[in-house]
Amino acid sequence: MKKLIALVLSLMLIVCSMAALAESKGTLVMATNASFPPYEYYEGTEIVGIDVEIAAAIAQKLGYDFEVADMEFDAIISAVNSGKANFGMAGMTVTEERLLSVDFSTSYATGVQVVIVREGSSITSVGDLFAEGAMHTIGVQLTTTGDLYTTWDLEDNGLAVINRYPNGNEAVLALKAGKVDCVVIDNEPAKAYVAANEGLVILPTEYVTENYAACFAKGDPLLAEFNAALEELIADGTVAAIIEKYIPVEE
Ligand code: ARG
């Protein structure tokens, strides 16, 4: 009898541990740069935001555990390509150049490059940056599309000087301190930075509209799985609800 109980108990143990194993297929690590509210930012010691919640929902749907790795924006693509992270999600714009080194998921949001200036600035529209002899000093986050576009459109044509900062927050602090004349950055973080710093405004004219997507090492089979889950979460309204939670629709 005792032997039977012992056998049943050990069988139960084996079944339980198999169930525990089956419950998680492993951990998905998302590389990001958490200075980009409302997509990814710190709330105390925790990284929260639209990208984090969408990625967590995808991982859960697929049966993976989920972790976020914070790094410089500039380091995300190499983290993905070296296998340090399974994918990158960072309000990252799909561009032709990036498509040479990574694959992108289905797009889940759009962004717009906008210009932040100090109140009363002589720069009143995007066009002012292109004026002949303008030579403004523009702050950007290193290797973001804000950096790439202003470099190609303005610096390469001798129309501006670009100051590159490791994150958007430092670019905005440089603007406040008068070290740059404006900052070119994505619209949603721009709104968050302007709300958190007095004396700054966003110009009403938009510079470039773009699509955000998650990036993967080229040929990674995880992408198909990820896309299937993401597309379901888009179709059932989960993605819209997460975005709406962080970006309430303006009336
Ligand atoms: N959308 C821009 C880009 O892809 C900026 C993204 C910056 N993201 C971040 N988490 N800091 O270049």
Side-chain angles (χ1 to χ4, degrees):
M1 191 61 192
K2 263 190 191 162
K3 267 189 184 166
L4 190 65
I5 292 176
L7 185 69
V8 169
L9 282 179
S10 50
L11 275 177
M12 278 169 63
L13 207 75
I14 292 169
V15 170
C16 284
S17 50
M18 276 168 63
L21 276 179
E23 218 170 77
S24 174
K25 297 197 271 180
T27 302
L28 288 187
V29 178
M30 161 180 144
T32 197
N33 170 252
S35 67
F36 200 70
Y39 289 92
E40 43 269 335
Y41 58 102
Y42 279 89
E43 222 167 63
T45 55
E46 203 193 343
I47 301 174
V48 297
I50 294 170
D51 288 341
V52 181
E53 285 202 28
I54 293 176
I58 291 170
Q60 197 193 13
K61 211 177 190 27
L62 297 175
Y64 291 99
D65 290 331
F66 174 62
E67 241 170 57
V68 180
D70 187 19
M71 60 191 70
E72 305 271 285
F73 184 75
D74 196 21
I76 295 174
I77 287 186
S78 43
V80 165
N81 280 331
S82 68
K84 256 192 230 156
N86 299 97
F87 63 95
M89 209 159 157
M92 189 183 278
T93 305
V94 180
T95 70
E96 294 296 317
E97 301 67 38
R98 288 175 185 160
L99 277 167
L100 299 175
S101 50
V102 286
D103 288 342
F104 277 103
S105 73
T106 299
S107 175
Y108 59 89
T110 51
V112 183
Q113 295 298 311
V114 296
V115 183
I116 312 176
V117 295
R118 288 182 297 275
E119 263 165 25
S121 167
S122 65
I123 305 170
T124 58
S125 72
V126 172
D128 287 348
L129 299 177
F130 289 78
E132 213 180 311
M135 264 322 219
H136 292 111
T137 304
I138 303 174
V140 296
Q141 180 181 7
L142 182 71
T143 69
T144 60
T145 48
D147 179 3
L148 304 178
Y149 301 149
T150 54
T151 301
W152 295 331
D153 291 349
L154 300 166
E155 193 179 56
D156 289 355
N157 295 317
L159 288 170
V161 175
I162 314 298
N163 284 6
R164 298 170 181 87
Y165 298 90
N167 60 62
N169 197 39
E170 283 180 48
V172 168
L173 292 179
L175 174 63
K176 264 182 101 170
K179 289 183 193 147
V180 297
D181 302 316
C182 65
V183 167
V184 173
I185 196 161
D186 306 51
N187 56 336
E188 289 304 329
K191 284 189 214 160
Y193 288 135
V194 165
N197 292 281
E198 244 174 83
L200 302 181
V201 288
I202 300 171
L203 296 184
T205 51
E206 297 177 343
Y207 184 11
V208 186
T209 302
E210 36 193 39
N211 292 315
Y212 292 167
C215 67
F216 290 78
K218 278 207 158 295
D220 186 345
L222 176 64
L223 174 56
E225 228 186 313
F226 185 98
N227 266 341
L230 171 59
E231 283 160 23
E232 269 178 56
L233 293 169
I234 291 173
D236 72 10
T238 306
V239 166
I242 292 170
I243 293 175
E244 163 82 31
K245 172 177 158 194
Y246 286 91
I247 311 173
V249 177
E250 290 158 39
E251 294 297 327

